[in-house]
Amino acid sequence: MRFTSERLLDDGVLEREFTLGEIPGTLWTPGSAVPGPLILMAHNNGLPRRQARLVARARHSAARGYAVASIDAAGCGDRPRSAADEQARSDLRRAVQAGEPVDEIFESLVGPMVEKAVPEWQTTLDALLGLPEIAGPVGYSGWTAVGIRLAVVEPLVTAAGFFAGGYVPRAQREEARQVTVPLLLLLQWDDEGNPRQRALELFDAFGSTEKTLHANMGGHVGTPWFEVEDGDRFFDRHLRRPGRKAVGGR
């Protein structure tokens, strides 16, 4: 991991850009010198890590005492897109404009993104846990499809917060039954692009014995800010639980 820039923000949070091979990322850490828990944060369906809503969430969590990291998925943000990526996005725009079904296009776009993103998140996690300012435990927040796969294959992830507003491929809907960590699912009741019933069925499918659904009125980008605060309280319960051991690597 190589840090390429460093900036101290007005809330006392340190923001650092990094690269890890071909993976670009951002790490936000609190002003405290005490090593703390880590939250991996990703936007639904691979939106850029510098998207304003993600940055605001990351800074809020870092100011609360968490290290927060985000990376750009392959073909997203600062990373080049393949011809297949460009074709799938073009097909998606055309289908949306024409009012045609889009599930199969999403499968061809999001499914491969998940397959590529999860190993990169694991590589990033290993590098982050080697830093002295990060002790663990580890939580995950954001992109549901990647979060499901990561919660299934990565034992260091001990709690997860998902946003129901992104497309979840069929493979991850099946894997949801294998997710057993405590989880919080946020649902916008009137999300115009994501069927409410599908999100409710996904919540029901999760294998976790401790799972919470927060549903709010409004469209796709209308998630109330208090859900960010509630999300941090969720992580406080599960990453700062008395007796919870730091991970510090594998």
Side-chain angles (χ1 to χ4, degrees), residues 178-233:
Q178 302 175 51
V179 174
T180 58
V181 300
L183 68 86
L184 171 65
L185 180 67
L186 301 184
L187 169 63
Q188 285 302 101
W189 201 246
D190 306 301
D191 191 330
E192 55 278 9
N194 298 281
R196 180 192 309 162
Q197 187 59 38
R198 183 178 291 176
L200 295 175
E201 290 170 358
L202 179 65
F203 179 75
D204 189 52
F206 284 121
S208 303
T209 57
E210 184 174 346
K211 56 183 178 180
T212 301
L213 173 68
H214 285 186
N216 291 283
M217 302 302 292
H220 184 66
V221 296
T223 304
W225 180 254
F226 64 73
E227 290 291 5
V228 175
E229 299 168 341
D230 282 353
D232 282 337
R233 285 191 285 270

Side-chain angles (χ1 to χ4, degrees), residues 12-225:
V13 171
L14 182 63
E15 179 185 81
R16 286 175 286 175
E17 302 292 327
F18 65 82
T19 59
L20 185 60
E22 298 179 352
I23 307 168
T26 307
L27 174 65
W28 296 266
T29 49
S32 170
V34 179
L38 170 65
I39 298 175
L40 306 177
M41 192 170 286
H43 244 317
N44 270 340
N45 294 348
L47 289 174
R49 73 184 192 280
R50 294 197 184 97
Q51 208 279 344
R53 288 180 294 148
L54 184 146
V55 172
R57 288 165 45 216
R59 289 182 60 173
H60 187 275
S61 296
R64 196 179 178 94
Y66 292 97
V68 183
S70 186
I71 62 174
D72 282 334
C76 303
D78 291 339
R79 304 180 69 173
R81 293 180 182 176
S82 67
D85 291 335
E86 294 289 4
Q87 184 61 54
R89 292 173 190 274
S90 176
D91 292 343
L92 180 62
R93 287 191 295 269
R94 179 195 53 75
V96 169
Q97 292 170 358
E100 299 173 356
V102 295
D103 275 13
E104 292 308 316
I105 301 174
F106 268 124
E107 284 287 333
S108 67
L109 178 64
V110 180
M113 287 171 61
V114 172
E115 296 298 330
K116 295 174 184 176
V118 169
E120 292 189 340
W121 271 112
Q122 291 183 289
T123 297
T124 303
L125 176 58
D126 285 342
L128 290 168
L129 291 176
L131 299 176
E133 60 268 42
I134 300 176
V138 179
Y140 174 89
S141 174
W143 184 3
T144 301
V146 161
I148 290 172
R149 172 65 59 82
L150 199 59
V152 170
V153 303
E154 179 47 71
L156 295 181
V157 173
T158 58
F162 297 148
F163 287 80
Y167 183 80
V168 178
R170 288 185 286 268
Q172 277 66 64
R173 280 179 250 161
E174 288 297 321
E175 287 178 322
R177 304 180 190 283
Q178 302 175 51
V179 174
T180 58
V181 300
L183 68 86
L184 171 65
L185 180 67
L186 301 184
L187 169 63
Q188 285 302 101
W189 201 246
D190 306 301
D191 191 330
E192 55 278 9
N194 298 281
R196 180 192 309 162
Q197 187 59 38
R198 183 178 291 176
L200 295 175
E201 290 170 358
L202 179 65
F203 179 75
D204 189 52
F206 284 121
S208 303
T209 57
E210 184 174 346
K211 56 183 178 180
T212 301
L213 173 68
H214 285 186
N216 291 283
M217 302 302 292
H220 184 66
V221 296
T223 304
W225 180 254

